[in-house]
Amino acid sequence: MRKVLGIGVMLLGVAVLGLWANSHEAPALQSRIAAGAAQVAGGSVHGISTMVSGRDINIAGLADSAAERDALMAALNDVPGRRVVRGELQLLPAVSPFETAVFKSAEGGLSASGHVPTEKARALLTPALGEAASALVLASGAPEGQMPAVIAGIAALGPMISGAAEVSDGKLHVSGDVLGPGERGAVLLALAGLPEGAVSLDLTLRDDGTPPDWTLDYSAMQGAVLTGKLPKGLEVAAVAGALGLARIDNEAKSALIGEPTPEVPAIFGILKGWMADFERLRVRIGPGGSRIEAGFGAGADRELISGRLAEALGPDVALDIDVVESEAPEGAERMNAATGQAERLSAGYWLPVASFAADRASCQAQAENVLEGTTVNFVTGSDRLDADAQRVLNRLAAVIAPCAAVGLKAEIGGHTDASGDPLGNIALSQRRAEAVRAALVARGVPAAMLRAWGYGASRPVADNATDEGRARNRRTTVLWSE
């Protein structure tokens, strides 16, 4: 009996010991299975989740491909102590080509489209893209170089005005606008870490970095236009104002980099006084200096004009002066772009169109009005018309021609101041009167209707004792008769 009792006690002890061992070993086994499952999950592309219940492994999440899914399942089945693996991994859709694009607007904002390979990759892009990163769709199929190319592309957009960084299967194409060579260099630096052949560029420089080089072309018939590259800050309206023009057409670009140069070059202020006389004008200002090519109308004294302009412009401005003939037919009309005055071609000269009743009183008043504010100037001591004489001669011919056409005759009087020999002054005034008469005849006034007469200093209108008075006495007059 005692033997049986002993055996029973022994069996009870073994059972109790087994129950104790099982209660302590099961949690340890579960922990080992959980650790093994977690290790497998940690190696997944998208971070699958695992939960162990007893010896069973429950799984959920995304597999990047069928190959990864099969590898994960095999690894989980190899976890020591596991009983079954429950659950299913979803396959992430694959795209080909794998494309990710980031865009920068002219306002500086970033947007994105296309795909991202992992949520970890999305998180990597979020500091730069912000909310735009959420527009990227999760997909598989990205090559190894996809994300480095996207990150480099975003960095390249930084110094750009606007543009796009588009990555397709690891190949990056960057396009858009940059301000100048410095910004282009910054774009290249941002891309320097990518493999050779992985990047293509299509950049437009708003400013190529070359120095300003610009040209003003003007014609009395068509007006003015600017071409080339203007200095930074130079306004077209300021150039027009310096020349006294109402407007200038602008076909030029403006420099965007470098120090601003808003001041209009001084040569334009010098040319302003001659704009009414130019038939054509070209002013080029560039790294090589300034050059002026000017064409004057019929009757211009090329030598005198060249000398006058060269003296005013200085030795640093290259100057080429020419006298040009109009190709328009006789009697053609135009609006002079510099003066806004209607003009008619007469014997090769563009004369202002005068509109008044051609009677003796009106003709006298019109001639005196022309000569009141100015006079016909001559080279000192000679009968050679001065450089700026053609302007007043054209205006004078414009009022004399219609008066002569109705049968009125005009005496062209020459007058000097009282300086020098009286007889010499009479002879000089006669030659000057004849020079004016010849100039008017050249402009289409009938020669038979004009007479030249030199008065010398015999008819002063001011005091010859002062410079101002002598200047007023040196004059040309017109006196009409039936």
Side-chain angles (χ1 to χ4, degrees):
M1 183 69 181
R2 289 181 178 177
K3 185 176 180 181
V4 171
L5 183 60
I7 292 171
V9 171
M10 182 182 69
L11 291 174
L12 179 62
V14 170
V16 170
L17 182 63
L19 289 171
W20 179 88
N22 186 61
S23 67
H24 285 74
E25 178 62 22
L29 178 60
Q30 181 173 323
S31 295
R32 288 195 297 273
I33 295 172
Q39 184 176 5
V40 173
S44 67
V45 173
H46 300 285
I48 65 171
S49 65
T50 59
M51 184 177 68
V52 176
S53 176
R55 292 164 54 196
D56 298 339
I57 302 174
N58 298 288
I59 62 171
L62 290 172
D64 198 57
S65 63
E68 188 198 29
R69 179 195 60 191
D70 295 344
L72 289 172
M73 293 300 295
L76 290 170
N77 282 316
D78 286 342
V79 172
R82 66 92 191 156
R83 184 168 55 189
V84 295
V85 178
R86 293 193 177 95
E88 186 176 352
L89 297 178
Q90 295 182 350
L91 286 180
L92 189 65
V95 296
S96 181
F98 198 99
E99 296 178 331
T100 311
V102 180
F103 307 93
K104 181 178 182 180
S105 69
E107 292 75 29
L110 296 179
S111 59
S113 67
H115 296 87
V116 66
T118 64
E119 290 300 336
K120 184 182 293 185
R122 189 194 306 277
L124 192 62
L125 299 179
T126 298
L129 296 181
E131 290 292 329
S134 63
L136 297 172
V137 179
L138 196 64
S140 68
E144 184 177 347
Q146 185 76 11
M147 286 309 297
V150 172
I151 293 170
I154 294 174
L157 289 174
M160 296 173 62
I161 298 171
S162 62
E166 300 167 287
V167 184
S168 178
D169 285 345
K171 302 291 185 180
L172 170 62
H173 180 69
V174 177
S175 60
D177 292 353
V178 293
L179 182 61
E183 290 72 19
R184 184 178 187 276
V187 171
L188 295 177
L189 184 63
L191 303 174
L194 295 179
E196 184 178 355
V199 182
S200 59
L201 287 174
D202 183 13
L203 298 181
T204 299
L205 274 68
R206 295 280 183 89
D207 189 325
D208 60 9
T210 57
D213 189 348
W214 52 291
T215 300
L216 176 131
D217 281 298
Y218 166 84
S219 77
M221 185 79 74
Q222 298 175 336
V225 61
L226 287 174
T227 56
K229 183 179 183 180
L230 298 175
K232 182 179 179 180
L234 181 62
E235 298 289 340
V236 176
V239 179
L243 289 172
L245 297 177
R247 65 185 299 271
I248 293 178
D249 292 331
N250 184 28
E251 297 178 3
K253 296 181 178 180
S254 292
L256 302 175
I257 57 180
E259 290 298 320
T261 310
E263 296 82 9
V264 179
I267 60 175
F268 288 98
I270 296 171
L271 295 173
K272 179 179 180 179
W274 295 87
M275 291 304 297
D277 302 319
F278 290 130
E279 282 298 310
R280 59 172 176 78
L281 173 68
R282 168 168 287 182
V283 182
R284 180 172 181 181
I285 301 177
S290 301
R291 182 177 185 83
I292 296 175
E293 300 172 10
F296 288 80
D301 190 317
R302 181 178 178 276
E303 181 183 358
L304 289 180
I305 292 173
S306 295
R308 181 82 65 84
L309 275 173
E311 180 180 4
L313 294 168
D316 295 332
V317 179
L319 184 63
D320 184 9
I321 300 297
D322 199 4
V323 178
V324 298
E325 294 183 4
S326 177
E327 297 180 356
E330 180 73 6
E333 293 191 3
R334 73 180 184 188
M335 189 70 71
N336 188 293
T339 65
Q341 171 72 54
E343 296 176 335
R344 182 180 294 116
L345 191 64
S346 175
Y349 294 79
W350 286 102
L351 307 182
V353 175
S355 179
F356 62 94
D359 55 54
R360 181 176 177 180
S362 297
C363 290
Q364 189 66 48
Q366 291 290 329
E368 290 176 357
N369 183 58
V370 170
L371 296 169
E372 182 177 347
T374 185
T375 188
V376 181
N377 292 318
F378 295 86
V379 175
T380 302
S382 79
D383 59 355
R384 184 178 184 181
L385 292 164
D386 203 0
D388 57 1
Q390 70 166 358
R391 198 175 314 158
V392 64
L393 287 170
N394 285 347
R395 292 180 60 202
L396 196 56
V399 299
I400 290 179
C403 296
V406 298
L408 295 175
K409 296 182 179 181
E411 175 194 275
I412 308 301
H415 303 264
T416 68
D417 60 33
S419 303
D421 176 58
L423 292 178
N425 285 338
I426 291 176
L428 177 60
S429 65
Q430 180 65 37
R431 294 197 304 273
R432 287 181 171 179
E434 290 173 352
V436 173
R437 177 182 181 275
L440 295 173
V441 171
R443 287 162 170 77
V445 180
M449 311 306 287
L450 298 177
R451 173 193 176 201
W453 195 264
Y455 291 94
S458 64
R459 295 186 179 183
V461 292
D463 188 354
N464 276 301
T466 66
D467 290 339
E468 182 182 352
R470 287 191 292 271
R472 289 183 60 195
N473 288 331
R474 297 189 295 268
R475 68 196 190 281
T476 298
T477 58
V478 175
L479 182 64
W480 287 99
S481 62
E482 300 291 347

